[in-house]
Structure formats: structure tokens, C-alpha cells
Amino acid sequence: MEAIRLLKQARAYARFALGLPSFLRNPISLADAEQIVRHGVERREDNFLRLVERGVLRFPSSPYARLLKLARCEIGGLREMVRARGLERTLRALREAGVYLTFDEMKGREPVVRHGESFAIGAADLSNPLLKASYEGESGGSTGAGVRVSHDLDHLAVQSAHLMLLYHAHGVLHAPHALWRGVLPDGSGLNNVLRGARHGRLPVRWFVPMRPGDSKPALRFRAVTYGAVLAGRMFGSPIPWPELVPIGEALVIARWAAEIVKEHGACQLNAPVSRALRVCVAARDAGIDLSGAVFVVAGEPPSPAKVAGIHASGARCFATYGFVEAGRVAIGCVNPSSSNDLHVLHDAFEVFSYDRRAPGVHDTVTALNVTSLLLATPQILINAEVDDYGVVEDRSCGCPLDRLGYRRHVRDIYSYRKLTGEGVTLVGGEMIEIMERALPARFGGSPLDYQLMEEEDEQGFTRISLIVSPRVAIPSEAAVVEAVMNELHASSVMADSARGIWAQAGTMRVKRMEPVWTGRGKLMPLHLVRRASANSGTGAAEARR
Ligand SMILES: [Zn+2]
């Protein structure tokens, strides 16, 4: 089995290496990008029907084919409904008829039960069967074996169009840019580099947030990363080699940004929001003015505190929102109404909100419900719940993205279940396993003596507090943090990436207090703690002390 898996991977990488040169040789223009988007916005209903017909109904084992069958929905009826009611109302009706997937169902952690039937979803069942595989990134969710997702070069082309228009709207399309992102299995670095190449806009530097001694990614991941850089360089795209800049050395990047602004009038840096904040704090401490620097932040909610910290350095920032299964779903508005206001990429996705009880909290959230429309989507999503909530509204903001036909906004997006620190996301399951099994086994007590809470410190940095009941005798707080880090190291390759970043940033700390269970679960994501606190005025406020 292992040999077959490796063969399959080798074949995917070979295809990737063969496809890359032509991908790099044919950058698209701004006019092409606008054309791609306008066409997609006009044809979104037809595109959805085409994806269902070709990518779902022709594959009877597809989970969506099964759900549609159980709901007695055929393509003829679906076509009629879309024509008569439009896409959103059709999708809402499908949802009522059981055609949707929860996050746990998609991850294979819960069986899908509808209309008296039940089935499980495997890791590959949601991958788009129409794609030619290229290279692989490991899903940010580190549950189970980690979902492997094939990224297709066509998909990168559509994403390039979205990004070009976004950068153009924010006035940084021609500013030199760098990124401070990891190497595979964290796909965000290589993905960003390739998208840049697609529109003839390569980063000038690729900073990697690792220390020289950090655990190295597996050989095959390194081989793909360096192979792609080498292939690009051989075919005329001078892709920068990754350079290690540990999280504690953000000043290196602040100095780089200031220098580029001095020379070119502007610069752009792509990083998770807390890494961007680190650069801004380092700049302020060193008396460096970052006016003219623009941060493109993703991977973590840009909370008001973090955005205020970035603005205080003179820099600007805007966000993008997406997930590995679908790619980028929304991009930052130029006239935002809050610290986190984005336009839904209406040509590629239908997004609406759906009231849902958040697990472990006495609260209803407006959960985001996402449907992919384009044939090149890495995973097919029909009414997929992604464990994030936010405010969805149609609004004319007057910005250049609005003029492309992107009327739908989604703002104030937060997770109701995931914990994100320093741009690395861990889906709850892995941490719950550590708190329920590993920590009681090592330090004593029961699962009820341990709890996690996400908080923001005075500067806006996210801290993940591990609450340990004072009744448990621990040798030292550092010993508990070390035990968690070791468990993450052993748990999965993505959890190990999280360990590396969190250890550098000091993201995790121990708090000695009784866990607070009233109405809450084992994990308390930041904004639900705040909501609960605002609603009740008691429990959570106590927990935050
Ligand atoms: Zn806008």
C-alpha cells in the first residue's frame, strides 16, 4: 500500500513539474483577469449546473450524488429550479432537503445521516474528480490523516485573476512584494509564489518563519518545494529561494519593507495577520515608519486589535479569506465597514449564512454555507459548513471590486470551533485528544481538569491558554507546555508545523484555574468567549481573568 501511495504521489509531482513551465510562461494580463471574472459572474448559475452535472452526477459514489438522490433531485428539476428561483434560493431549498455537509461529515468524523440512510465520507470523496492532480498541500485542518488536496493549475489561473484585481484595487499591483510563509507541507508559501508567477509578478523575497534547528519537513516535501523553485528558475522565472527568518526576528522584515518603500514608494508583504503585526511592533520599537507598506493578511481573523496594531506603524492591510479545500473565497474591500469586510468571489462561490447552534456554547451563530461553482475547484462543495460564521450582506460599497459585479460582502468572520494562533490553525480534534488522553495520563487528574482558551494579549497577539485545574499537581508550567508540544510533534505533520511556530512565538501558556464548563466545551475560540461574556456578563469574564 505504501509503495502504491508513493507511486501516486511521484506521478502527481511529475505532472506538476511538466505543467509548471507552461504555467509560468503564460502570465495573464489585467484585461484577461477582468474578462475571466465578468464572464464567471454572468454565467454563475450555468457554471453551478455544469459542475453538478459533470463533477457530481456522473460519479454515483460522490457524496453529493447520493444526497441529491436521497432528496429525489434530478438535473432537470434542478435546472428548472435555478431558472425560476435563482441560485441562492435553490441552494437553500436543497439544504432543507438534506443536501449539505457539516464540517465533521466532510472530515469523516461523523457519518452522514439523511432520510433514514447513513454513509461515511472518506478523505478522497470530496476531491474534484475532474482535476488533473498537480502538487499536494496538507490541509490546515490536522484531523486524522490530514486531507490531501490536489491543487490544479487551472485553479491557480482563476485565483491569479482574483488576486490581480484585488491588488490593482488596493493600488499595489506593481509594488515589489515578499512573503513570510512556510514551505511544504504548509502549502501557503509555494501557492503564493506560483500565483505570482502566473501574472508575471514574482515575490522578490521568500522569508520562511523557521529557525535553522527546527524539525525539517519530510524529504519529499523539501524535494517538491526546491524542485518547483528550480524548475521556475530554469524556465526564466527567478523564483526566490526560501530564506529562514525566525518569528523573533521580525525587525529584519520591517527593515526590508522600509528600504523597499524608500526606493519604490510602496511594498507589499503577504503573511498571516499576527506575523504582520510582529513586523509592525518591531518597526515601532525600532522607530521605523512603515507608511507605504501594505500587508496582505490571511489565515487568521484580522481582529480590530491586530489591525489597530498594524495601522499604528503607518502600514495598511487588507485580508483575504479562504480554506485549502476551496481556495480563496472572499477578498478585502477597499472601503471596508469593519476591520474584516470582504467581497465574496461571486464568480466562483455562492456564500450565504445559516443559523446554527455552535457546539459547546449556548448561542446561535450565523454559520457560513459555501458552494463552489467552477469546474476547477479543488474540492466540490455544495452547502458546505466550514465552521466559520460571519455577517453576509449585499451592499454597494462603490469600490473597484464592487464594479466587477462583486455585490455580496461577508464581514467579521470568525471560527466557532478552530483555534488559530500565529496563522496556524488546529482543528479542535487533535487538541481535544491531547487534553483528554495524554495530559491526564502524564500529569494525573481527569479530562475535566484541562481546557483550552484562545485570548488576545495587550498588543493584539493571540495566546492559547491551557487551563489546568489547581488540583492537578504539575512539576512546572513549562513541563506541561513541553508535553503538549511533544504530543503535537507526534500527532501529524501539520500539528508539527503548528508546534514549530507556536514554540517560537510563545503562543501557548498555562493558567492555573478551574476550567469553566457552564455552556462551554473543551475549546473556547476567542470570539465565542467574547460573545458569551457579552451575553451573560459572568462566566466567561471570570474565565478570562
Ligand atoms: Zn468594496
Side-chain angles (χ1 to χ4, degrees):
M1 282 309 282
E2 181 64 14
I4 293 172
R5 200 175 59 83
L6 277 176
L7 258 176
K8 273 190 180 160
Q9 275 176 1
R11 205 169 54 193
Y13 295 152
R15 249 192 249 130
F16 167 70
L18 289 174
L20 187 61
S22 76
F23 176 78
L24 294 179
R25 269 197 308 269
N26 297 299
I28 60 172
S29 70
L30 195 59
D32 294 338
E34 245 187 72
Q35 170 86 17
I36 288 173
V37 163
R38 286 189 194 282
H39 195 249
V41 169
E42 274 164 30
R43 298 186 52 85
R44 59 199 302 273
E45 294 184 349
D46 290 339
N47 285 346
F48 167 72
L49 292 167
R50 186 177 61 160
L51 181 61
V52 170
E53 200 172 2
R54 293 202 209 158
V56 173
L57 296 177
R58 286 188 194 166
F59 301 90
S61 65
S62 145
Y64 297 114
R66 298 173 76 167
L67 289 172
L68 286 164
K69 197 172 170 201
L70 286 170
R72 297 167 193 274
C73 183
E74 284 168 2
I75 189 71
L78 196 59
R79 205 170 274 135
E80 250 165 56
M81 209 198 298
V82 168
R83 204 160 294 138
R85 301 193 197 178
L87 194 51
E88 180 180 338
R89 285 177 64 196
T90 298
L91 285 164
R92 286 188 184 272
L94 285 177
R95 210 198 137 94
E96 292 300 323
V99 183
Y100 67 91
L101 288 175
T102 67
F103 190 72
D104 281 340
E105 289 166 351
M106 285 190 282
K107 297 286 174 191
R109 275 181 280 159
E110 273 178 10
V112 180
V113 182
R114 306 278 191 282
H115 304 283
E117 286 196 32
S118 161
F119 61 90
I121 292 182
D125 288 348
L126 298 177
S127 293
N128 184 348
L130 303 171
L131 290 189
K132 303 160 280 167
S134 44
Y135 67 100
E136 293 180 346
E138 191 102 1
S139 158
S142 49
T143 49
V147 181
R148 287 175 183 284
V149 177
S150 305
H151 297 240
D152 184 73
L153 296 174
D154 290 346
H155 182 239
L156 286 175
V158 176
Q159 291 211 314
S160 295
H162 292 151
L163 284 182
M164 276 183 98
L165 294 164
L166 171 70
Y167 295 155
H168 182 64
H170 286 270
V172 287
L173 184 57
H174 301 294
H177 75 287
L179 51 149
W180 196 12
R181 288 191 171 275
V183 291
L184 290 171
D186 171 1
S188 70
L190 192 54
N191 246 325
N192 273 290
V193 168
L194 292 177
R195 273 196 300 269
R198 176 68 176 161
H199 49 255
R201 197 169 160 278
L202 281 168
V204 291
R205 305 283 284 270
W206 179 2
F207 305 113
V208 175
M210 278 172 69
R211 291 175 295 200
D214 283 342
S215 71
K216 289 205 172 98
L219 183 64
R220 64 190 166 89
F221 287 127
R222 271 183 287 157
V224 175
T225 304
Y226 284 86
V229 174
L230 190 65
R233 294 174 80 100
M234 279 168 63
F235 288 94
S237 285
I239 296 176
W241 294 106
E243 305 169 53
L244 301 191
V245 177
I247 282 192
E249 291 174 26
L251 185 57
V252 170
I253 295 173
R255 288 212 175 101
W256 172 84
E259 208 174 282
I260 296 290
V261 169
K262 209 168 145 197
E263 241 173 82
H264 299 269
C267 83
Q268 186 202 311
L269 189 79
N270 180 311
V273 65
S274 47
R275 238 168 266 163
L277 178 60
R278 277 182 193 283
V279 175
C280 294
V281 168
R284 254 159 59 210
D285 289 350
I288 297 172
D289 178 8
L290 284 185
S291 299
V294 177
F295 291 89
V296 183
V297 298
E300 193 178 357
S303 63
K306 289 187 175 75
V307 169
I310 290 171
H311 288 167
S313 72
R316 283 191 291 135
C317 70
F318 57 88
T320 68
Y321 169 73
F323 33 91
V324 110
E325 290 84 355
R328 192 159 284 97
V329 171
I331 55 179
C333 176
V334 184
N335 301 323
S337 67
S338 75
S339 72
N340 186 8
D341 178 15
L342 307 107
H343 288 267
V344 173
L345 295 168
H346 220 45
D347 53 328
F349 298 96
E350 173 67 24
V351 176
F352 55 84
S353 65
Y354 192 85
D355 287 349
R356 176 196 205 290
R357 277 287 291 276
V361 185
H362 290 305
D363 210 351
T364 302
V365 294
T366 49
L368 299 183
N369 188 99
V370 181
T371 299
S372 50
L373 308 176
L374 297 177
L375 287 184
T377 182
Q379 279 201 8
I380 296 179
L381 305 173
I382 300 179
N383 287 331
E385 283 181 4
V386 289
D387 271 13
D388 287 332
Y389 67 96
V391 180
V392 180
E393 61 200 0
D394 289 333
R395 182 160 52 85
S396 189
C397 60
C399 91
L401 299 171
D402 181 61
R403 291 197 288 276
L404 288 169
Y406 287 161
R407 291 289 144 77
R408 182 152 294 186
H409 287 243
V410 56
R411 63 178 165 83
D412 305 332
I413 306 168
Y414 295 108
S415 173
Y416 53 84
R417 201 139 52 159
K418 286 166 268 194
L419 295 172
T420 304
E422 300 290 333
V424 187
T425 300
L426 275 189
V427 175
E430 207 138 17
M431 284 305 302
I432 288 179
E433 167 74 8
I434 292 172
M435 282 185 291
E436 296 200 330
R437 185 192 49 78
L439 296 182
R442 169 89 187 271
F443 300 106
S446 79
L448 288 176
D449 292 319
Y450 300 89
Q451 189 177 39
L452 272 185
M453 189 164 63
E454 205 180 36
E455 297 175 286
E456 257 178 0
D457 70 11
E458 324 67 50
Q459 287 185 302
F461 289 111
T462 301
R463 298 272 171 252
I464 298 197
S465 296
L466 175 61
I467 296 170
V468 183
S469 162
R471 286 175 297 151
V472 179
I474 54 172
S476 69
E477 296 187 355
V480 181
V481 171
E482 199 191 319
V484 172
M485 293 295 162
N486 289 339
E487 290 290 329
L488 286 174
H489 176 60
S491 182
S492 74
V493 67
M494 265 321 279
D496 193 37
S497 297
R499 183 197 63 92
I501 297 284
W502 288 4
Q504 283 188 57
T507 302
M508 181 169 283
R509 60 187 173 189
V510 170
K511 282 196 168 180
R512 301 308 303 274
M513 57 184 266
E514 283 304 324
V516 186
W517 296 113
T518 43
R520 276 172 226 113
K522 201 119 200 107
L523 305 170
M524 293 197 285
L526 178 63
H527 295 273
L528 284 187
V529 173
R530 283 196 185 145
R531 281 164 63 109
S533 170
N535 289 350
S536 70
T538 53
E542 206 174 281
R544 289 176 64 77
R545 222 175 278 144

